[in-house]
Amino acid sequence: TETNILRNKSRKINMNKRITNEPQQPSISQFLDTRAGQYSMNHPQQKAITNALLRDLIIGCNLPLSVVENKSFRHFLTVVDSKYSPICRRTMTSKIEDLAAEKHLMLKTQLSQTDHVSVTVDIWSDRKMRGFLGITVHWIQKEIERLEVKSKLLAFERFKGSHTGERICEKFEAVCDEYNIKDKLDYIISDNAANMRKAFTVCFPSEQGEEPDDNHHLDDPELWHDLPLEDQETVGASLGKKHRLQCFAHTLQLVVRDGLTETKVASPALSKLSKLSSLLHTSTTLKDVFETEFGERKSIPASVITRWNSTVRQVKAVLQCEHLKLCAVLEKAGHKKLLFTIREWNLLKEMVDILKPFEEATDLTKGEKIVTISAVVPSVLSLNHHLEKLKPQVRFLNGLVSSLQASLNKRFLGIFINPVYLKAAALDPAFSLLWVEHHVLFCRCYLDVFSDLILENDVQTSPALQLSHYLHIADGQNALLFWAMNMHTLPSLFNVATRVLAVPACSAPVERVFSYGGIILRPHRAQMTDRLLASLVFCKCNAE
């Protein structure tokens, strides 16, 4: 009937309205339309932006991987280039691992083209107490008519289990075999921990039947109180070889620690300074009064027990405050017990004067892309001269000067026996033989040492003439520039120079690796896998 027809039409109209008002799934054609004009994954600009995100932001700026999925960051990318297609976190992780593998192959290629390398080694634990073994590799590379000190991260690998010498050695040898450098390895620089000394005794044992020669080791056996006697003898024998060198900066730190430990007269002033520093980081009352007087940017850093130079920085910081004003601030804040007497204030000033050259020597030998080992012998001699000159001048810290000098002579005696330090100092034109007293130049033993620097004769000029010519023209020049200019004039000396000058003076390069690891593994990223952390650190340290 007509009524039924009208009713059915009404139902269809209402149904169509409901269907129209409901959200509809987009069709394939609609999806393709929204993608129109965007880069494909293989487009050069798409690759360039993704590569920049990886290298500059994730690795260079240490941004978390989650940033690539952040809504605001993705909006930022549309403003930068609306055609760019953002990638997900999983894709970015995969690209990090691919980049690490690529850099690994590049490093293997570079190392295959050099004949001599040295390494620094250390172990670090992250916030989750996971152990990592860090190894950096160093050599001097000739590029056309230019020389460059190369410093690369060789390995940053998870180290499970106890940190015994044998296990460190086993892991270290595996890394050397992976890069085919064991036969090219000249020196291993590590700190003075017993497990490190033990490790490289195992790696490079003495010849069968070879008698230990205590005159050729670098470390003083009397300092190895944390090793059993039989292990001390084994280490002493192996260090008679050419392989392990002590970290100069770490040993210098031990010298200063010895001096400060033996100097009881400075303890009250340093104790007050430590408490003052602590209060400035915990007491809002004292901090407000202190900043009102000295400014908001003024503070006194905390001292780190394992780093003597942090104590020096602390003393320097408090001495920048006016003594009387600081006393007034402490009295106003209710800390009269921390007032420094005039004697204590002058004692702190004298301490800075005594220790400042030690700080400078440490900084001088912690460079990574420069020659550092040549400064070891001149630095030790200069420090000894500095202390000798201070003896009649000091008023309060005579004991500190005497203790420092005794420890310096004890801990660094071996550097005047180990030929690598003498060679490096002599073949750096910045030092040449200026560190040797004039009347010693004609001593037969020194002439023999420097004559032995030449390993083989040259067809055009004798090694003796080369050495004589070098000593005549060396006049404070930069070592890398000098040898780049004279590689053809002094070929025999050039080969020796580029070999010994590549050796790092201390283990600072591998310590920087762990600093990067600590920055990357911030507290809110503590759940990062050890594989991803290792890849990020490897890419970070080997970035061009």
Side-chain angles (χ1 to χ4, degrees):
T1 64
E2 185 176 347
T3 303
N4 290 335
I5 292 171
L6 291 173
R7 189 179 292 118
N8 288 334
K9 283 184 178 180
S10 176
R11 284 180 187 151
K12 288 180 180 179
I13 290 170
N14 290 333
M15 188 178 292
N16 288 335
K17 284 182 178 179
R18 287 198 301 272
I19 293 173
T20 304
N21 292 333
E22 290 177 359
Q24 299 183 32
Q25 184 175 353
S27 65
I28 295 177
S29 61
Q30 285 177 308
F31 178 77
L32 292 175
D33 287 342
T34 60
R35 297 284 300 172
Q38 289 193 295
Y39 300 129
S40 68
M41 288 299 170
N42 292 322
H43 191 281
Q45 185 65 5
Q46 173 76 20
K47 288 184 175 181
I49 295 176
T50 300
N51 188 52
L53 290 177
L54 169 61
R55 294 174 184 264
D56 298 330
L57 297 186
I58 303 299
I59 295 173
C61 296
N62 304 309
L63 293 187
L65 273 69
S66 58
V67 72
V68 297
E69 294 180 343
N70 182 279
K71 183 179 178 181
S72 298
F73 183 73
R74 290 200 165 201
H75 175 262
F76 166 77
L77 290 176
T78 63
V79 175
V80 172
D81 193 333
S82 60
K83 295 181 179 181
Y84 177 73
S85 301
I87 63 174
C88 65
R89 178 174 181 165
R90 180 174 295 181
T91 302
M92 183 61 79
T93 300
S94 177
K95 288 185 176 295
I96 290 171
E97 292 175 352
D98 290 344
L99 180 61
E102 177 187 327
K103 288 185 174 295
H104 177 268
L105 289 175
M106 289 174 60
L107 183 54
K108 286 187 73 172
T109 301
Q110 284 182 302
L111 292 174
S112 68
Q113 298 169 355
T114 187
D115 296 325
H116 300 281
V117 300
S118 292
V119 299
T120 68
V121 187
D122 206 351
I123 290 180
W124 172 75
S125 295
D126 65 11
R127 290 183 174 91
K128 294 175 68 177
M129 297 310 294
R130 297 175 296 185
F132 286 85
L133 177 68
I135 307 173
T136 63
V137 61
H138 308 266
W139 73 99
I140 289 181
Q141 184 167 303
K142 177 183 174 183
E143 296 180 356
I144 310 176
E145 296 298 316
R146 187 168 65 94
L147 296 178
E148 184 178 353
V149 176
K150 291 291 184 179
S151 177
K152 298 287 183 180
L153 176 59
L154 199 63
F156 183 81
E157 298 187 359
R158 184 77 165 85
F159 192 90
K160 297 181 179 180
S162 57
H163 299 171
T164 63
E166 289 79 3
R167 296 196 67 251
I168 295 172
C169 172
E170 181 182 345
K171 190 74 171 177
F172 177 79
E173 285 189 314
V175 173
C176 290
D177 290 339
E178 181 184 0
Y179 285 94
N180 298 316
I181 63 167
K182 192 168 183 180
D183 293 336
K184 303 178 179 183
L185 190 56
D186 283 340
Y187 297 98
I188 301 167
I189 296 87
S190 67
D191 62 26
N192 296 330
N195 57 354
M196 285 296 178
R197 294 197 299 270
K198 181 72 174 178
F200 303 117
T201 304
V202 176
C203 282
F204 305 105
S206 301
E207 300 288 341
Q208 289 295 324
E210 183 183 28
E211 292 295 326
D213 184 358
D214 288 339
N215 291 326
H216 288 86
H217 60 68
L218 180 58
D219 297 317
D220 188 337
E222 294 180 6
L223 307 179
W224 300 348
H225 49 80
D226 52 351
L227 279 181
L229 180 60
E230 60 272 18
D231 285 348
Q232 292 184 24
E233 293 173 352
T234 307
V235 174
S238 75
L239 290 180
K241 310 292 281 183
K242 62 180 180 179
H243 297 288
R244 183 188 169 271
L245 300 179
Q246 63 181 343
C247 170
F248 176 74
H250 184 243
T251 308
L252 203 59
Q253 176 180 318
L254 295 178
V255 169
V256 178
R257 189 194 67 181
D258 292 343
L260 292 175
T261 302
E262 294 296 323
T263 310
K264 304 300 182 184
V265 68
S267 297
L270 292 177
S271 178
K272 288 181 181 179
L273 180 55
S274 179
K275 290 176 183 177
L276 172 59
S277 174
S278 179
L279 281 171
L280 283 174
H281 292 86
T282 56
S283 171
T284 55
T285 303
L286 176 60
K287 188 171 181 64
D288 288 343
V289 177
F290 185 87
E291 289 183 348
T292 301
E293 181 62 50
F294 298 109
E296 292 184 2
R297 293 188 177 183
K298 184 66 180 173
S299 185
I300 298 175
S303 177
V304 182
I305 191 169
T306 56
R307 299 198 178 275
W308 68 267
N309 52 349
S310 64
T311 301
V312 176
R313 285 197 296 269
Q314 196 178 59
V315 175
K316 282 183 175 180
V318 76
L319 290 176
Q320 288 177 2
C321 304
E322 189 177 327
H323 183 207
L324 293 179
K325 287 184 178 179
L326 179 60
C327 289
V329 166
L330 291 171
E331 193 166 357
K332 185 177 180 180
H335 296 287
K336 291 184 178 180
K337 291 183 179 180
L338 298 183
L339 294 178
F340 293 95
T341 65
I342 295 177
R343 176 185 172 84
E344 288 172 337
W345 195 257
N346 289 330
L347 183 148
L348 291 177
K349 286 182 178 180
E350 192 169 87
M351 180 181 291
V352 170
D353 292 338
I354 293 170
L355 295 181
K356 185 179 178 181
F358 285 83
E359 186 179 26
E360 293 171 348
T362 303
D363 294 339
L364 184 65
T365 54
K366 291 179 73 173
E368 194 165 345
K369 299 295 179 70
I370 60 173
V371 173
T372 56
I373 192 170
S374 58
V376 170
V377 168
S379 292
V380 172
L381 291 173
S382 178
L383 289 172
N384 188 66
H385 177 70
H386 162 71
L387 295 172
E388 192 67 33
K389 192 171 65 172
L390 279 178
K391 283 182 178 179
Q393 301 175 14
V394 292
R395 296 172 55 198
F396 309 104
L397 297 173
N398 303 78
L400 176 60
V401 172
S402 299
S403 297
L404 287 172
Q405 192 170 34
S407 181
L408 188 74
N409 292 331
K410 182 180 180 182
R411 291 187 180 274
F412 285 107
L413 177 64
I415 66 169
F416 300 99
I417 301 169
N418 193 308
V420 66
Y421 293 104
L422 299 177
K423 289 180 182 180
L427 291 176
D428 186 338
F431 302 109
S432 184
L433 296 183
L434 297 176
W435 48 275
V436 182
E437 291 182 11
H438 181 72
H439 68 275
V440 179
L441 287 177
F442 300 98
C443 178
R444 185 68 218 168
C445 64
Y446 278 95
L447 289 176
D448 290 342
V449 168
F450 298 128
S451 296
D452 289 342
L453 293 173
I454 311 304
L455 300 180
E456 59 183 359
N457 291 335
D458 185 83
V459 295
Q460 295 181 344
T461 177
S462 72
L465 288 177
Q466 287 186 41
L467 181 58
S468 176
H469 182 55
Y470 163 74
L471 295 175
H472 179 69
I473 63 175
D475 189 25
Q477 302 95 323
N478 175 279
L480 297 178
L481 293 176
F482 176 89
W483 287 111
M485 292 175 59
N486 292 280
M487 65 175 74
H488 303 300
T489 310
L490 307 169
S492 298
L493 281 178
F494 172 80
N495 292 332
V496 182
T498 53
R499 184 173 178 177
V500 298
L501 294 178
V503 181
C506 64
S507 57
V510 74
E511 291 174 7
R512 290 191 187 95
V513 171
F514 297 136
S515 295
Y516 288 137
I519 293 170
I520 292 171
L521 199 69
R522 293 186 291 271
H524 64 280
R525 301 173 73 182
Q527 298 304 313
M528 181 183 292
T529 64
D530 50 17
R531 180 179 175 182
L532 179 57
L533 175 60
S535 295
L536 280 170
V537 172
F538 191 83
C539 293
K540 175 84 172 178
C541 295
N542 289 331
E544 295 299 331

